[in-house]
Amino acid sequence: MIEEQVKVHDKFSLEIKLGFMAKDISVNEFSVSTWIFVPNSLDINRWSYSKEEFYRDLKSNIRLITPVYLLEDIADKAKEPYQFLEKSISRLTDVNDKELTGAYEYHIRMHASIVKSALREEIGYIIKKSGKDYHILIDKYIRNINTITSNYRSLRQQYAGSPVTRDNLLNYFLFGDEFLSNLIEQHTFKLLEGLKKRRHLTNDIAAKLMEVIQSEIRYKQDQGWPVVKKSGVEHNRVLVHRLSLLKKYAENELFLNVVRRREGVWVEQVYFSIAAGISMIFATAIAFSFQRQYGSLTMPFFVALVISYMLKDRLKELARYYLAHRWGRRFFDMKTKISLSGHDIGWHKEGMDFISEKKVPPEVMRMRARSAILEAENRNNREQIILYRKLVRLNRESLNKVSPYPTAGMNDIIRFNVSNYVKKMDNPVVPLFVPEEGNRAGTVTGIKVYYLNLIMQFKHTDGIKYKRYRIVMNRSGIVEVERF
């Protein structure tokens, strides 16, 4: 199964999150094809926008899918998250044992990542929940996070007299504690805002949630960790940097090792050799024909050699283009090998090409659904169509070996920067005239936008499905993402 999520990451970046869920079979293969329909007025085409520029605009982070646990599971001392963490600390009797110290740090990081994922899912469920049981859900949420923090912080007692303190490994535990406190504070704020937007925030619920936040702020202050200040620009700048470092530290264990290389190099060289052979056959045939007709030391033969040499080079380049670029489209541009902890998990391949409309599948064109006026305009100024292909293969047996936690598959988080697409856009603000009283003309502001249409096709053993997204943009950046 392939799960997708498309959203705005920042002003000029789109985030496409693809989750590849590996079934319990030896080899899982996934295919994702994305057709990007670009307005002709943006001047994005095969001559102005190369493959290299396209891949520079893409940033891909490949990581394991975070193991799925409910908050109540993490709060339960008998369940895996706490058990793994507690055992890794209790076994840490020798700081020189690299295997034990590595496992200790690994489980601290994984615990933090698992809590983050569970918090995100829990508050999303509470906000979307309808009915009158909000008080029950909020009380359960508070009870679980209080138990999680209490369980984690109680493990610090095991460090008394431990060699851990002599090797600064206690810092790893404290990093996890600070990250956990920040998570609870930030996600509880998000829960407050979400309930407020849904008009389900009562004074009683708000008071309970604010007490959770204030409790974590007081705890961080007692530990000497930075907290947000209302009037402290310099302080908050340092805090934001620290939050980023803690996030990277905690989630580092989920990121996979990738080795990227160009795909189809040998095939391309074979095509180039064939092109050189074709041009040589042409030149030799002309030389032999004129030599037989006029002799080897004559002016016509000399002229024929010069002309054949000139045409040979042109024919060689033409053959190279059609063989390597036309036939080579069935191949991919790059192949990335994916591994973790010495286990080869699989690979994925990527390919990008500009294609003509006649090569787009009918189902995709139906989903594109151009309006009548756009279809009429498209006859003169055709949309440019980019096809971005991704083929992924995962080994289920290797996935099972990389972690003691259940591993569902991998996430490919793609950030697509659209800066190249906004360079030739018009001003985003357009004045519009309206009639006013007294036979006067007034003006109002209109916003000019452009649309990038994304049609995505997902293939797996479950079958084929399609999704359409429309990216609303102007010269100031991305306005919103619409889903159809």
Side-chain angles (χ1 to χ4, degrees):
M1 182 174 66
I2 304 175
E3 296 180 348
E4 97 289 345
Q5 183 184 52
V6 180
K7 64 180 183 178
V8 178
H9 175 72
D10 58 37
K11 191 175 181 181
F12 291 101
S13 294
L14 184 71
E15 181 175 294
I16 304 172
K17 183 177 181 180
L18 301 174
F20 300 98
M21 317 290 286
K23 289 188 172 183
D24 194 17
I25 55 178
S26 58
V27 176
N28 286 259
E29 193 163 286
F30 310 84
S31 173
V32 180
S33 296
T34 304
W35 289 267
I36 306 173
F37 294 82
V38 185
N40 188 66
S41 58
L42 301 187
D43 196 31
I44 298 291
N45 51 58
R46 69 174 74 253
W47 298 280
S48 64
Y49 189 57
S50 65
K51 284 178 181 284
E52 289 75 16
E53 289 176 298
F54 176 81
Y55 287 114
R56 274 200 297 270
D57 287 340
L58 288 182
K59 180 184 178 183
S60 181
N61 290 317
I62 300 176
R63 49 177 287 180
L64 291 176
I65 294 176
T66 307
V68 179
Y69 291 94
L70 299 175
L71 281 180
E72 59 192 59
D73 294 328
I74 305 172
D76 189 346
K77 287 188 174 183
K79 295 293 178 68
E80 291 171 344
Y82 180 83
Q83 283 289 306
F84 285 147
L85 181 60
E86 194 275 334
K87 288 178 181 178
S88 70
I89 295 175
S90 62
R91 293 174 61 200
L92 196 61
T93 57
D94 184 359
V95 294
N96 293 319
D97 190 322
K98 292 184 178 181
E99 183 178 347
L100 292 180
T101 56
Y104 156 77
E105 188 175 10
Y106 170 80
H107 287 297
I108 287 175
R109 289 172 164 180
M110 287 299 294
H111 184 272
S113 297
I114 290 170
V115 172
K116 178 182 178 181
S117 178
L119 279 171
R120 182 181 63 245
E121 295 300 320
E122 183 77 9
I123 67 170
Y125 172 77
I126 295 174
I127 292 171
K128 293 178 182 177
K129 181 72 174 175
S130 59
K132 299 180 179 180
D133 52 354
Y134 276 98
H135 282 277
I136 298 174
L137 293 174
I138 296 299
D139 288 342
K140 183 180 177 183
Y141 168 81
I142 295 173
R143 184 169 60 253
N144 283 330
I145 59 177
N146 285 338
T147 304
I148 290 169
T149 54
S150 176
N151 289 345
Y152 185 92
R153 290 162 186 169
S154 67
L155 291 173
R156 188 171 179 176
Q157 299 173 4
Q158 297 190 22
Y159 290 89
S162 168
V164 173
T165 56
R166 297 198 301 270
D167 203 42
N168 289 325
L169 293 182
L170 177 59
N171 284 335
Y172 301 152
F173 181 86
L174 297 178
F175 293 155
D177 194 5
E178 184 179 358
F179 183 70
L180 182 62
S181 183
N182 290 330
L183 283 178
I184 292 171
E185 179 189 345
Q186 293 164 8
H187 283 75
T188 305
F189 270 125
K190 291 179 182 178
L191 180 55
L192 274 168
E193 290 300 307
L195 292 175
K196 184 178 180 181
K197 289 180 180 178
R198 299 267 304 197
R199 298 183 179 179
H200 293 303
L201 186 63
T202 63
N203 291 334
D204 184 33
I205 290 177
K208 289 180 179 180
L209 293 177
M210 283 304 301
E211 175 54 33
V212 171
I213 294 170
Q214 293 292 351
S215 176
E216 290 303 318
I217 291 175
R218 289 193 296 269
Y219 178 76
K220 285 188 288 187
Q221 289 173 333
D222 291 341
Q223 297 298 317
W225 299 331
V227 298
V228 179
K229 292 184 178 179
K230 287 185 177 180
S231 56
V233 176
E234 181 70 22
H235 170 86
N236 290 338
R237 187 183 73 182
V238 175
L239 173 62
V240 169
H241 181 66
R242 183 174 179 84
L243 293 175
S244 177
L245 291 177
L246 286 170
K247 179 177 182 293
K248 291 176 182 177
Y249 175 80
E251 298 180 356
N252 185 66
E253 291 295 343
L254 292 171
F255 285 94
L256 299 169
N257 301 321
V258 297
V259 178
R260 177 174 289 187
R261 64 178 177 83
R262 192 176 165 199
E263 176 74 352
V265 175
W266 289 106
V267 174
E268 184 179 62
Q269 294 305 314
V270 170
Y271 286 162
F272 288 169
S273 298
I274 293 174
I278 292 173
S279 65
M280 190 62 192
I281 290 171
F282 171 78
T284 305
I286 291 179
F288 282 0
S289 297
F290 273 77
Q291 185 180 34
R292 185 175 181 181
Q293 182 73 25
Y294 300 104
S296 58
L297 298 174
T298 61
M299 182 57 69
F301 178 66
F302 174 75
V303 173
L305 282 177
V306 173
I307 294 175
S308 67
Y309 182 81
M310 294 165 55
L311 295 177
K312 176 178 78 70
D313 278 354
R314 294 303 91 212
L315 180 62
K316 178 181 176 181
E317 291 303 315
L318 187 62
R320 278 167 59 109
Y321 174 79
Y322 277 96
L323 290 173
H325 296 277
R326 297 293 184 180
W327 293 1
R329 282 182 180 173
R330 71 188 66 179
F331 301 101
F332 291 84
D333 300 322
M334 285 178 286
K335 180 177 181 180
T336 302
K337 291 186 177 181
I338 307 166
S339 63
L340 184 65
S341 304
H343 298 284
D344 291 330
I345 296 173
W347 49 256
H348 80 77
K349 298 180 180 181
E350 299 171 276
M352 172 269 187
D353 285 292
F354 282 92
I355 63 172
S356 62
E357 187 173 309
K358 63 182 180 182
K359 293 184 179 179
V360 179
E363 177 65 26
V364 173
M365 291 308 303
R366 282 195 295 270
M367 294 193 70
R368 171 64 187 88
R370 294 192 184 108
S371 63
I373 189 171
L374 183 60
E375 193 66 63
E377 198 270 343
N378 193 59
R379 291 201 303 267
N380 298 320
N381 297 296
R382 291 190 175 277
E383 285 183 312
Q384 298 297 314
I385 304 173
I386 298 173
L387 173 58
Y388 174 56
R389 300 170 295 142
K390 185 181 287 286
L391 183 64
V392 178
R393 180 173 292 179
L394 296 178
N395 186 298
R396 179 73 262 180
E397 184 178 351
S398 295
L399 277 172
N400 293 336
K401 292 178 180 178
V402 297
S403 174
Y405 299 92
T407 305
M410 80 169 198
N411 283 327
D412 187 359
I413 303 171
I414 303 168
R415 291 181 186 172
F416 182 36
N417 189 282
V418 299
S419 298
N420 277 315
Y421 293 73
V422 305
K423 289 179 179 178
K424 298 186 178 179
M425 289 183 179
D426 293 335
N427 287 327
V429 177
V430 178
L432 300 174
F433 292 99
V434 293
E436 291 185 346
E437 294 181 3
N439 297 321
R440 292 182 303 168
T443 59
V444 296
T445 298
I447 304 299
K448 182 166 186 175
V449 297
Y450 299 78
Y451 299 103
L452 287 184
N453 282 271
L454 272 63
I455 313 293
M456 306 181 76
Q457 179 198 68
F458 306 96
K459 287 184 181 180
H460 186 39
T461 53
D462 296 329
I464 302 176
K465 68 175 182 178
Y466 293 86
K467 291 290 180 67
R468 179 190 172 194
Y469 294 90
R470 188 165 71 175
I471 317 304
V472 185
M473 303 163 35
N474 59 30
R475 205 163 74 182
S476 298
I478 300 174
V479 178
E480 64 175 325
V481 175
E482 299 175 342
R483 179 172 179 170
F484 295 86

